[in-house]
């Protein structure tokens, strides 16, 4: 004999998504305007000075502008309510946005690497003072953008956008250093070498975000959950005999779901046990969508409650 229990049967009961907070939208819009506006200036400066460091920074900022646009759209979609066609809602739009932004970043790293290697074998003349001046302004712009986004860093999509901006900040610092070295010593290879260093730093952070977002999309177990330990803890609860088919996965960046079959001995204790398990999972594991199916032994043959072949109890 078995029954299925969860927090609610209504698909909307778990996902009361509201419109994104106005402050969060303002941060993203403000950062988008800062980034896109300065990227145009930096492209002109990079072409004028001949600096790959500046051009790579400008290209990075343009991908940032695209990333911020994706973040804004994904944030809006993610807060749509659940529906008959999307019973879990649209929370995964934020994960898709973060993954798409990460792929943009990987493409940018590839472009910077190829350009830097070409400059190493065929160096060009770079105006050191011009590079320093333009990159210094870019550094201030990136600091302002990072400050805006840091107030919303709990959001995965905003974190992806912040990663773009921090990469820009590193590129601006690299461009300043490259300009200073060229101005003081005339050593031109510093420009592509620092570009390669920045590309490596960006790659490391971006790859982490790619792994996190793809893990969530593949319904991997959340990083804060030890599946074996959780199974043992559920089985150790009074009234639970065994745990089967335990699954834990992300619905969205901040939403975790769990489903499992529990073998129990006393069906009449199930409502109390279910409430206890739900409270424990919410408090200790931040799992807010719980579906538990209890199974208990059938009565022995001949017992008044034993079902007959036609489904009617004796």
């Amino acid at each position: 004999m078995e029954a299925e229990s969860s927090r609610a049967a209504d698909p909307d009961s778990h996902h009361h998504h509201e419109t994104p907070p106005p402050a969060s939208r303002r941060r993203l819009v403000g950062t988008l305007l800062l980034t896109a506006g300065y990227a145009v200036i930096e492209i002109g400066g990079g072409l004028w000075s001949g600096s790959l460091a500046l051009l790579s920074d400008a290209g990075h900022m343009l991908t940032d502008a695209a990333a911020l646009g994706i973040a804004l759209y994904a944030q809006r979609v993610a807060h749509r309510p659940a529906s008959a066609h999307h019973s879990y809602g649209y929370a995964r739009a934020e994960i898709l946005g973060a993954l798409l932004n990460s792929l943009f970043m990987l493409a940018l790293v590839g472009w910077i690497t190829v350009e830097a290697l070409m400059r190493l074998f065929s160096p060009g003349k770079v105006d050191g003072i011009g590079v320093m001046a333009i990159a210094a302004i870019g550094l201030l712009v990136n600091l302002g953008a990072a400050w805006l986004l840091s107030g919303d860093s709990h959001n995965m999509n905003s974190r992806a956008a912040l990663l773009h901006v921090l990469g820009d900040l590193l590129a601006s610092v690299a461009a300043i250093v490259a300009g200073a070295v060229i101005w003081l010593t005339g050593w031109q290879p510093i420009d592509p070498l620092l570009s390669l260093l920045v590309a490596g730093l960006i790659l490391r952070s971006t790859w982490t975000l790619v792994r996190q977002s793809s893990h969530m999309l593949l319904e991997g177990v959340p990083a804060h959950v030890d599946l074996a330990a959780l199974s043992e803890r559920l089985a150790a609860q009074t009234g639970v005999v065994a745990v089967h088919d335990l699954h834990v996965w992300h619905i969205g960046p901040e939403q975790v779901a769990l489903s499992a079959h529990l073998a129990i001995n006393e069906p009449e204790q199930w409502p109390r046990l279910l409430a206890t398990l739900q409270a424990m999972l919410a408090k200790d594991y931040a799992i807010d969508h719980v579906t538990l199916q209890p199974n208990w032994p059938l009565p022995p043959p001949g017992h008044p409650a034993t079902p007959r072949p036609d489904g009617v109890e004796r």
Side-chain angles (χ1 to χ4, degrees):
M1 188 173 188
E2 62 182 28
E4 185 173 353
S5 300
S6 66
R7 284 188 184 275
D10 181 4
D12 292 333
S13 62
H14 298 284
H15 308 288
H16 299 291
H17 295 303
E18 300 174 358
T19 333
S24 181
R25 286 202 308 272
R26 283 197 300 271
R27 290 187 190 104
L28 285 172
V29 171
T31 307
L32 173 59
L33 294 176
L34 274 174
T35 304
Y38 192 72
V40 175
I41 297 172
E42 204 164 29
I43 287 173
L47 293 172
W48 168 72
S49 65
S51 169
L52 175 62
L54 275 183
L55 285 174
S56 63
D57 190 23
H60 191 182
M61 292 186 84
L62 283 177
T63 61
D64 284 353
L68 290 162
I70 292 171
L72 276 166
Y73 180 73
Q75 187 189 65
R76 188 170 188 84
V77 171
H79 286 77
R80 291 178 182 173
S83 66
H85 295 290
H86 296 87
S87 59
Y88 276 131
Y90 296 81
R92 286 197 177 180
E94 291 190 56
I95 306 174
L96 284 170
L99 180 60
L100 188 55
N101 279 332
S102 302
L103 296 178
F104 274 137
M105 290 288 288
L106 292 177
L108 178 66
V109 166
W111 177 78
I112 292 173
T113 302
V114 170
E115 286 294 316
L117 291 174
M118 289 175 65
R119 288 289 183 98
L120 281 173
F121 289 108
S122 179
K125 185 172 177 56
V126 176
D127 185 325
I129 295 178
V131 169
M132 282 193 294
I134 296 169
I137 300 171
L139 179 62
L140 294 176
V141 170
N142 288 319
L143 284 171
W147 177 77
L148 282 172
L149 287 175
S150 63
D152 200 29
S153 58
H154 64 281
N155 180 286
M156 187 179 195
N157 215 18
S158 295
R159 234 174 36 240
L162 179 59
L163 180 60
H164 277 267
V165 172
L166 291 176
D168 277 337
L169 199 150
L170 285 174
S172 295
V173 172
I176 292 171
V177 173
V181 171
I182 291 169
W183 177 52
L184 294 171
T185 69
W187 192 53
Q188 302 288 330
I190 188 65
D191 185 62
L193 285 174
L194 285 178
S195 296
L196 284 173
L197 175 63
V198 170
L201 294 173
I202 294 170
L203 177 62
R204 181 179 177 182
S205 300
T206 302
W207 186 246
T208 299
L209 191 61
V210 168
R211 287 173 53 207
Q212 289 175 347
S213 53
S214 58
H215 184 74
M216 289 183 182
L217 289 173
L218 291 171
E219 298 189 344
V221 177
H224 71 282
V225 175
D226 182 327
L227 198 64
L230 176 57
S231 179
E232 290 176 4
R233 186 167 180 187
L234 289 171
Q237 296 293 314
T238 303
V240 178
V241 177
V243 178
H244 307 284
D245 298 319
L246 174 61
H247 302 282
V248 186
W249 70 99
H250 276 281
I251 296 174
E254 307 299 329
Q255 295 172 296
V256 180
L258 175 148
S259 68
H261 287 209
L262 303 182
I264 63 174
N265 273 331
E266 302 178 10
E268 64 276 7
Q269 296 299 318
W270 176 241
R272 176 197 58 78
L273 180 58
L274 175 62
T276 300
L277 293 174
Q278 287 176 336
M280 180 269 288
L281 291 168
K283 179 183 176 183
D284 298 343
Y285 296 92
I287 300 176
D288 58 1
H289 187 115
V290 177
T291 302
L292 298 172
Q293 179 171 307
N295 302 286
W296 51 82
L298 289 171
H303 189 278
T306 302
R308 290 165 50 186
D310 58 8
V312 179
E313 290 187 356
R314 296 182 188 279

